[in-house]
Amino acid sequence: MLLSNPQRVLVLALIFRIIIIVFLDDIRWSIHARIQKHLDQYPFISPKAAQVGTANATFLMLARNSEIEDVLHTLRQIETSFNHRFHYPYVFLNDVQFTPEFIARTTSAISSSASYGVVPTEHWNHPPEIDEERLQRGMKELADKGVDYGGSLPYRNMCRFNSGFFYRHELLQNYRYYWRIEPEVDFFCQIHDDPFQFMQDNNKIYGFTITLYEFEATIPTLWQATKEFTQLYPELLAESNALDFLSDDKGATYNLCHFWSNFEIADMNFWRSDTYRKFFDFLDAKGGFYYERWGDAPVHSIAAALFAPKEQLHFFNEIGYRHGTLQHCPQGEVFTKGQCQCSRRRNFDYDGYSCKPRYDRLFEQH
Ligand SMILES: Nc1nc2c(ncn2[C@@H]2O[C@H](COP(=O)(O)OP(=O)(O)OP(=O)(O)O)[C@@H](O)[C@H]2O)c(=O)[nH]1
Ligand SMILES: *[C@@H]1O[C@H](CO)[C@@H](O)[C@H](O)[C@H]1NC(C)=O
Ligand SMILES: [Mg+2]
């Protein structure tokens, strides 16, 4: 024996310690690797995002409690394609209180924070000036024609709210840009560049992905009301406006083209402007949101096309998007860069019912 008893104990203790350190380190590394793998699989919970969006912006969804499954579908789509990298907040609005279940499940589905609000009744229900009898007649007429939601009062409330009130909600006061999303929509591509930042950097006020014709039966007098308004306030028309997108005869008649508003990335300061406030109040006083069934899509589109220069509108080609049966699927390099999952053959851009050719022509003249 070279070592005495106490020395042997010391050496053994040292060896033991080395083993423990190496072993523990091993365990530490393996735990670390497992966490990393977990984070890679579920980028939503990654604490160190490569990028974080810094624009003054939020997602906005109006939804009913009963739509929870379709809402979750949309949230997974938007998180996977974009927001797990940018972490923009969400605002959820409803005409009644959201249930604890709706709040818990949506909060769990997102990588950022959310706030939940109720729409004030005076922003939702029809104003007292509306003639009850005429309203009932209007609803019956449209329902008899078989028009979608023709006989629905809640749908009319929703369209009027989305036209003239959402941007006044207290939960939206801290934001300038919003991205409107709806239950049960798809986002097909990886959105690498921040669309909000793009809006801000390029002074855009309205962005869209799909444009099409409106059902004339829902807006028989909307264009007449618009013409009355612009004759009253000709100075509000933007100099290089997009009238040719809305009309094929210099404004005499409306060609029914509009941006599909279930997707919108837009600047609320445009809706908050005196010009738009005047326009909305003028339309609202006509009662067409109720006696007819004016949609927020044609109302927003007409305003954006007439009261802003056409350079402030934007087609978001890189955002592959589906709502219902219509979808925009990027073509060519944009499809590849975005790793898009849509079928390139299913693309509405140049379908017979699309207004995209008219939009393109706005920027081709001279
Ligand atoms: N809270 C609430 N949300 C509503 C109501 N009606 C519509 N919405 C929401 O408003 C948006 C548009 O309504 P939809 O019923 O999808 O109407 P649409 O997109 O024109 O028609 P679809 O093709 O059927 O989807 C969706 O986000 C709905 O969740 C309502 O009465 N209450
Ligand atoms: C964001 O925009 C809103 C509306 O324009 C504005 O009131 C608010 O001050 C802005 N916030 C920041 C941080 O710029
Ligand atoms: Mg919808």
Side-chain angles (χ1 to χ4, degrees), residues 126-141 153 156 287 290-292:
H126 59 274
E129 299 84 57
I130 292 295
D131 175 344
E132 227 20 88
E133 219 169 285
R134 201 173 151 200
L135 166 61
Q136 294 304 329
R137 236 186 305 130
M139 291 206 292
K140 184 166 184 315
E141 220 171 273
L153 186 57
R156 285 169 168 76
Y290 289 98
Y291 305 139
E292 298 180 7

Side-chain angles (χ1 to χ4, degrees), residues 60-65 67 71 93-96 98 119 124 148-149 152-159 162 180-184 260 262 293 296 323-325:
L60 168 65
M61 180 168 348
L62 175 74
R64 305 178 190 87
N65 286 308
E67 292 176 296
V71 168
L93 297 180
N94 191 346
D95 58 314
V96 298
F98 281 112
V119 174
W124 188 260
D148 283 350
Y149 307 105
S152 167
L153 186 57
Y155 194 86
R156 285 169 168 76
N157 293 336
M158 180 274 287
C159 288
N162 278 329
R180 175 167 158 191
I181 51 177
E182 278 198 10
E184 220 275 305
W260 218 18
N262 47 73
R293 203 216 68 191
D296 54 288
H323 172 270
T325 56

Side-chain angles (χ1 to χ4, degrees), residues 56-57 172-177 267-269 272:
N56 188 350
L172 289 169
Q173 292 317 297
N174 288 330
Y175 301 108
R176 176 161 181 195
Y177 299 96
D267 180 350
M268 283 185 279
N269 286 352
R272 289 165 180 154

Side-chain angles (χ1 to χ4, degrees), residues 147-217:
V147 173
D148 283 350
Y149 307 105
S152 167
L153 186 57
Y155 194 86
R156 285 169 168 76
N157 293 336
M158 180 274 287
C159 288
R160 177 168 171 269
F161 171 74
N162 278 329
S163 296
F165 296 99
F166 76 91
Y167 50 87
R168 307 186 205 186
H169 195 279
E170 61 164 315
L171 292 181
L172 289 169
Q173 292 317 297
N174 288 330
Y175 301 108
R176 176 161 181 195
Y177 299 96
Y178 68 100
W179 180 334
R180 175 167 158 191
I181 51 177
E182 278 198 10
E184 220 275 305
V185 302
D186 287 335
F187 291 96
F188 295 122
C189 314
Q190 286 304 312
I191 302 163
H192 298 293
D193 301 319
D194 182 347
F196 291 128
Q197 199 63 49
F198 176 86
M199 298 288 290
Q200 201 166 296
D201 293 345
N202 294 281
N203 194 27
K204 300 285 185 183
I205 61 119
Y206 194 89
F208 68 97
T209 53
I210 291 173
T211 167
L212 74 170
Y213 298 98
E214 181 58 293
F215 299 110
E216 187 156 24

Side-chain angles (χ1 to χ4, degrees), residues 101-318:
E101 183 197 340
F102 186 99
I103 293 173
R105 294 176 72 190
T106 51
T107 303
S108 299
I110 61 178
S111 67
S112 54
S113 60
S115 38
Y116 300 82
V118 176
V119 174
T121 46
E122 65 277 17
H123 288 179
W124 188 260
N125 295 312
H126 59 274
E129 299 84 57
I130 292 295
D131 175 344
E132 227 20 88
E133 219 169 285
R134 201 173 151 200
L135 166 61
Q136 294 304 329
R137 236 186 305 130
M139 291 206 292
K140 184 166 184 315
E141 220 171 273
L142 266 198
D144 289 349
K145 283 187 184 155
V147 173
D148 283 350
Y149 307 105
S152 167
L153 186 57
Y155 194 86
R156 285 169 168 76
N157 293 336
M158 180 274 287
C159 288
R160 177 168 171 269
F161 171 74
N162 278 329
S163 296
F165 296 99
F166 76 91
Y167 50 87
R168 307 186 205 186
H169 195 279
E170 61 164 315
L171 292 181
L172 289 169
Q173 292 317 297
N174 288 330
Y175 301 108
R176 176 161 181 195
Y177 299 96
Y178 68 100
W179 180 334
R180 175 167 158 191
I181 51 177
E182 278 198 10
E184 220 275 305
V185 302
D186 287 335
F187 291 96
F188 295 122
C189 314
Q190 286 304 312
I191 302 163
H192 298 293
D193 301 319
D194 182 347
F196 291 128
Q197 199 63 49
F198 176 86
M199 298 288 290
Q200 201 166 296
D201 293 345
N202 294 281
N203 194 27
K204 300 285 185 183
I205 61 119
Y206 194 89
F208 68 97
T209 53
I210 291 173
T211 167
L212 74 170
Y213 298 98
E214 181 58 293
F215 299 110
E216 187 156 24
T218 65
I219 50 158
T221 68
L222 175 59
W223 192 249
Q224 185 51 43
T226 301
K227 286 199 289 186
E228 279 173 38
F229 180 79
T230 56
Q231 273 150 23
L232 214 52
Y233 304 101
E235 71 279 9
L236 297 182
L237 286 170
E239 195 135 322
S240 79
N241 61 53
L243 174 64
D244 291 342
F245 170 71
L246 304 174
S247 174
D248 302 339
D249 49 22
K250 303 276 168 233
T253 60
Y254 180 31
N255 61 23
L256 307 176
C257 282
H258 65 290
F259 308 119
W260 218 18
S261 63
N262 47 73
F263 172 104
E264 285 183 329
I265 300 179
D267 180 350
M268 283 185 279
N269 286 352
F270 179 72
W271 311 128
R272 289 165 180 154
S273 68
D274 287 342
T275 298
Y276 186 75
R277 163 79 68 145
K278 272 200 186 113
F279 182 57
F280 174 76
D281 287 347
F282 187 86
L283 296 183
D284 199 30
K286 295 281 184 194
F289 289 105
Y290 289 98
Y291 305 139
E292 298 180 7
R293 203 216 68 191
W294 295 354
D296 54 288
V299 170
H300 280 184
S301 302
I302 289 171
L306 295 183
F307 308 130
K310 63 186 176 195
E311 291 74 23
Q312 288 192 303
L313 308 177
H314 184 68
F315 172 63
F316 274 108
N317 185 34
E318 73 273 24

Side-chain angles (χ1 to χ4, degrees), residues 77-97:
Q77 290 278 323
I78 201 75
E79 285 292 334
T80 308
S81 61
F82 171 72
N83 208 41
H84 73 271
R85 287 187 292 272
F86 291 89
H87 311 293
Y88 281 103
Y90 292 76
V91 171
F92 293 93
L93 297 180
N94 191 346
D95 58 314
V96 298
Q97 287 277 351

